[in-house]
Amino acid sequence: MTTIPQRLRPHSTLLLYPTLLLSSVLTMPAAYAAVIPDIAAPLTASDINAKPDTVLSQLSLAQALKIALAANRDLKLSQIAIDSAAAAKIIAGAAPNPTLTIQTAGMNPKLGIGAGTLRDKTVDTTFRIDQLIERGGKRDLRLQGATHLETSAKFDNEGQLRQLRLATSFAYFDLMAAQGKFSIANELRSIFRTTLSTADLRKKTGDIAGADAARVKVDAMRAENDARQAANDLFQAQSSLLSLLSAQSAPSDLRAIDAWADIAAADAQLLYADIRPLIAQRADVKSAQARLDAALSARQLALAAKTRDVSVGLQFEHYPVSPTNTLGSGNSFGISVQIPLFARYAYQGEISLAEKNVDSAREILEKTKENARFELLNIQESARSAQEKVQRFQQELLQAARQSASAAEFAFKNGAIGVTDLLDARRIYRTTELDAINAQADYAKALSALRISIQEVTTP
């Protein structure tokens, strides 16, 4: 091992800075292909029935998605909405029940009801059954509309599932980025602490000016603030992910263990494929279409209200035979029919409202299609742009910033530049490194959003 002269040892700590920080970046890009397929893989029974751990610590993206599927409350609410729609479908398909009426009349308060058994009492007893007969196919139309609403609820659940996967993936990538920034900030703080200690010693020996030592102290204090902010950002990212997982763990216990994407693993065909034909297969578009179908059924039902329903009644009446009653056994039968008369109102309001609801549902469908088209195109363009940024950072910017920082360290060691130039080179390198992490996170999010959106319309 080469021995560094005593007068140069303070600069040796400075020279290690680019190497330490670069190693933290170059070790991040790894087999990201193992992350994305977990997002795009079809759900299994074990995924749906997965139970969240009591304490979450070392967590992969695949595990986070499984826990979210099992524990997320918004997803549970959307599943309850499906059950509610199924119950509404049962209600809509039910036929009207008959009505039984039992009536006793003719009781004279002065003469009483007479002697003998209940059958011999001098009262008029009537048994009547009424049945509403719906006409115009109203029951089928109600059932048809409820079926469309149930279908819409199912597609809403699929859309909620997509949003949950996106939110969980994004939160996981934010946590990965926060961890990387926290690591860099701590390394920088440690380096500046050592540099500040060395600068104070050199100031006492007259090796550097007091102004230079003050500049080092200012940057050291900035590094302390940056480290504290990075710790807060990490806590916020941990809390956001735990909220999506409905987990009770302490945020500080959570750590993402997956690696960043390897650019070579990106699917070029996916980034440049024509995805516009897939718009009609999106869950939100299908849900809007189902709601339009339900509105059309409701309009037909409103028009069917002009077809009169008929209520048919069958009656049996018993009056006991008495000395004053010589009409026979006292038993009689009767039939009745009730038909509504549209003398003042013929459901004009319901029909007009149903027409407006159809117009509204049609506009919502077209708006949903437009939003889906722009969303898919924007996601694809974001993925392409993010890929180019990451490639530029890995192939050019990081290397240039590292070389610049290394040259500044070497020049400062040999007295060619001052502390100000050295600190500027450090600052540029650190900013470039943090920007590289942000680019990695943006690329991971865009690629995940693209794959999840594709999976939504290609997986049964």
Side-chain angles (χ1 to χ4, degrees), residues 153-380:
K154 292 178 179 179
F155 286 127
D156 287 341
N157 179 259
E158 292 183 14
Q160 183 64 43
L161 177 61
R162 178 175 64 91
Q163 294 296 332
L164 176 59
R165 285 180 163 183
L166 286 174
T168 303
S169 301
F170 287 7
Y172 189 89
F173 296 137
D174 286 338
L175 177 57
M176 291 176 63
Q179 289 176 177
K181 294 176 182 179
F182 178 74
S183 176
I184 292 174
N186 279 335
E187 290 175 1
L188 184 62
R189 177 175 60 178
S190 177
I191 290 174
F192 265 109
R193 284 178 177 176
T194 304
T195 304
L196 180 59
S197 177
T198 302
D200 289 339
L201 292 176
R202 295 183 65 193
K203 176 184 176 183
K204 293 178 181 179
T205 62
D207 193 16
I208 63 173
D212 290 338
R215 292 189 185 97
V216 173
K217 184 175 182 180
V218 170
D219 270 32
M221 294 301 99
R222 287 179 177 175
E224 293 287 345
N225 288 339
D226 291 342
R228 185 63 187 88
Q229 183 61 45
N232 178 69
D233 293 342
L234 176 59
F235 184 85
Q236 297 297 329
Q238 291 167 326
S239 299
S240 297
L241 181 56
L242 286 176
S243 176
L244 288 170
L245 303 183
S246 300
Q248 304 299 321
S249 300
S252 57
D253 294 335
L254 184 62
R255 179 172 177 79
I257 62 175
D258 284 339
W260 287 118
D262 183 2
I263 299 305
D267 189 348
Q269 183 178 2
L270 183 65
L271 294 178
Y272 294 94
D274 184 10
I275 58 178
R276 288 173 296 180
L278 302 177
I279 294 174
Q281 301 301 317
R282 277 178 52 115
D284 52 354
V285 174
K286 287 185 175 180
S287 176
Q289 180 63 59
R291 293 186 185 280
L292 174 59
D293 295 337
L296 291 172
S297 297
R299 182 180 64 179
Q300 290 180 300
L301 180 62
L303 292 173
K306 299 179 69 174
T307 302
R308 292 172 174 80
D309 295 336
V310 177
S311 182
V312 178
L314 177 63
Q315 176 178 306
F316 168 76
E317 184 176 0
H318 171 74
Y319 191 86
V321 178
S322 66
T324 60
N325 181 11
T326 59
L327 297 179
S329 64
N331 297 331
S332 63
F333 297 90
I335 298 176
S336 67
V337 177
Q338 294 182 0
I339 302 175
L341 302 177
F342 297 159
R344 297 183 177 90
Y345 185 67
Y347 299 98
Q348 297 93 335
E350 286 83 351
I351 295 173
S352 178
L353 179 60
E355 292 284 355
K356 299 306 178 184
N357 288 338
V358 170
D359 295 338
S360 176
R362 184 173 285 112
E363 289 298 324
I364 291 175
L365 173 60
E366 295 304 318
K367 180 181 178 180
T368 304
K369 288 181 179 180
E370 290 180 1
N371 292 340
R373 180 168 64 90
F374 286 118
E375 179 182 336
L376 287 174
L377 294 177
N378 289 338
I379 288 174
Q380 193 175 46

Side-chain angles (χ1 to χ4, degrees), residues 84-104:
S84 299
K89 180 179 175 181
I90 295 176
I91 296 173
N97 287 320
T99 302
L100 172 64
T101 303
I102 301 177
Q103 177 181 337
T104 299

